[in-house]
Amino acid sequence: MHFPSYSSFRNYTSCLLFYQKPSSSNPDFSNLPGARVPKTTLSKRTRLLEITPKNAQDAFEHCLQLVKSRDRENYQSSLVMPQACRAEILALLAFNIEVALIREKISSQRGSDIAGMYRLQFWRDAIKSIYGDSVSPVPRQPIAIALCSFAPQASLSLLESLIIARQQTMGDRPFRAVDDVAKYGVATAGALIRLEGEALARGCLLGKPCEAFVDAAHEMGAAYSIMNLIRSFLPLLAKGIILLPADLLELHNLTPDRVYKRKDSAAVTNLVRDMTQASFSDQLILQHGWWYRKIYVLRFTQVALVHIQASRKLSSLVPRPLRSCLAASGSVVDTIVNSVKKVDYNIYDPILQKSHPFLIWSLLLKKILGRY
């Protein structure tokens, strides 16, 4: 197999990392899907948002800066995706960040749960106005404008999934079980990967993404959610928030208070070890018999690795252009798993917050090799 030289690889990276200010060709603000020339008189009730090229350019810039500052991993992932799809993907990523940050924005307010639910409902109403049958006007908000301008064909159900999952977990209560963490990942990270995949599929004229891609996205989302919960433990702990699964807390005779006060570090270490142990459903055990039961009992394989390996086993069935959507999450999961093992499952170690030092190189290599 012939690999590109270092110089060509470096030049390619430089081109990707060089950001040009949005212009009429990057992206094309003069030919926006869903944008129209403003009318001289507007009807009182209309769900169509009047978007000028200047509105779209400002919205794009807002999304770009939000993703770049708040989700560096997905920002770098967007750099290796086709330029024609990049504006739509950035709009989708910015929307995900916006709804994810609601908890952080209202955490210091009294009655924050209610305030958070109202804000999430605002976004649910907004996307129904953009994509659904609602007659309510589309809000003049940068991300809403970006969705109208660059993502007019995005899936309403997947966008709603990003909101509903946050509504169901509002209140900073621990997850009931590890499986609930995985389901949350399917509804959030998995849905976001699918949205990106649909954008790439349209850009590459592939039609609707295949079932293999959907399954791979769900497995990757589950793996990402489990490991991201471990990575975010220490920053959340500083705010007095414990989201570790309640079933494992009970199993190890722990309470959120004991975890917060670090009264039993050994038990917490064992809990983290259990979180990364193999977790197979009873259905799988019944279907596949003693072999799965043995792995379940002996816990050879880590939960996140079980999910990510299941995702990667489908790679040959996933169209090559869509594999880029899964690459960033895969690299992040690998990084956190390696860090957890390095610190012997000590969830209090700040090394877990370190990001992949060469993520852009990893993503470029995976794109060249067609892997994730």
Side-chain angles (χ1 to χ4, degrees), residues 35-86:
R36 299 182 287 131
V37 177
K39 298 177 182 177
T40 54
T41 58
L42 296 176
S43 58
K44 291 184 178 180
R45 290 183 63 83
T46 176
R47 61 185 289 268
L48 294 175
L49 182 65
E50 303 292 343
I51 303 172
T52 65
K54 179 65 166 60
N55 295 148
Q57 182 172 349
D58 291 343
F60 174 79
E61 182 69 25
H62 175 85
C63 292
L64 176 66
Q65 295 304 323
L66 180 62
V67 175
K68 189 175 181 179
S69 62
R70 286 288 188 168
D71 191 355
R72 191 72 181 178
E73 292 152 352
N74 275 320
Y75 167 71
Q76 292 185 61
S77 176
S78 70
L79 295 176
V80 302
M81 294 183 184
Q83 185 172 341
C85 306
R86 207 171 295 165

Side-chain angles (χ1 to χ4, degrees), residues 23-173:
S23 65
S24 59
S25 59
N26 183 33
D28 185 3
F29 295 113
S30 63
N31 185 26
L32 298 171
R36 299 182 287 131
V37 177
K39 298 177 182 177
T40 54
T41 58
L42 296 176
S43 58
K44 291 184 178 180
R45 290 183 63 83
T46 176
R47 61 185 289 268
L48 294 175
L49 182 65
E50 303 292 343
I51 303 172
T52 65
K54 179 65 166 60
N55 295 148
Q57 182 172 349
D58 291 343
F60 174 79
E61 182 69 25
H62 175 85
C63 292
L64 176 66
Q65 295 304 323
L66 180 62
V67 175
K68 189 175 181 179
S69 62
R70 286 288 188 168
D71 191 355
R72 191 72 181 178
E73 292 152 352
N74 275 320
Y75 167 71
Q76 292 185 61
S77 176
S78 70
L79 295 176
V80 302
M81 294 183 184
Q83 185 172 341
C85 306
R86 207 171 295 165
E88 179 174 356
I89 288 172
L90 285 170
L92 296 169
L93 292 173
F95 173 77
N96 178 62
I97 295 170
E98 184 70 21
V99 296
L101 286 178
I102 287 176
R103 174 186 291 169
E104 179 181 324
K105 290 178 179 178
I106 52 89
S107 60
S108 61
Q109 300 177 12
R110 177 176 294 181
S112 59
D113 289 358
I114 297 176
M117 294 297 285
Y118 275 120
R119 292 198 183 193
L120 288 171
Q121 187 60 45
F122 162 82
W123 277 110
R124 198 168 182 183
D125 293 339
I127 62 172
K128 284 182 178 178
S129 297
I130 298 171
Y131 302 102
D133 298 325
S134 174
V135 296
S136 300
V138 177
R140 283 197 168 276
Q141 200 273 356
I143 295 175
I145 292 174
L147 290 174
C148 286
S149 302
F150 308 116
Q153 300 180 57
S155 168
L156 173 60
S157 61
L158 292 176
L159 290 168
E160 281 192 314
S161 177
L162 297 174
I163 299 172
I164 294 171
R166 270 67 183 234
Q167 287 178 326
Q168 293 174 343
T169 56
M170 186 64 66
D172 297 328
R173 294 180 296 273

Side-chain angles (χ1 to χ4, degrees), residues 8 31 160 169 189 214 224 236 264 327 334 341 347 354 372:
S8 62
N31 185 26
E160 281 192 314
T169 56
V214 173
Y224 179 86
L236 290 175
D264 196 343
D334 290 339
K341 291 179 179 179
I347 202 171
K354 290 187 176 180
Y372 58 83

Side-chain angles (χ1 to χ4, degrees), residues 297-323:
V297 174
L298 297 178
R299 296 176 176 178
F300 282 137
T301 315
Q302 299 178 337
V303 164
L305 291 182
V306 169
H307 287 294
I308 199 172
Q309 287 168 2
S311 178
R312 285 170 173 164
K313 284 180 180 178
L314 297 167
S315 62
S316 61
L317 302 176
V318 175
R320 190 182 181 98
L322 304 188
R323 296 174 193 172

Side-chain angles (χ1 to χ4, degrees), residues 236-279:
L236 290 175
L237 184 68
K239 300 178 181 179
I241 300 172
I242 307 293
L243 298 180
L244 297 176
D247 61 340
L248 291 183
L249 288 174
E250 183 178 356
L251 179 65
H252 293 278
N253 296 317
L254 288 167
T255 63
D257 183 65
R258 289 181 65 82
V259 175
Y260 177 74
K261 295 180 179 179
R262 308 189 185 194
K263 288 187 175 181
D264 196 343
S265 298
V268 175
T269 297
N270 290 331
L271 181 148
V272 176
R273 199 184 301 272
D274 279 351
M275 278 189 70
T276 56
Q277 296 294 325
S279 175

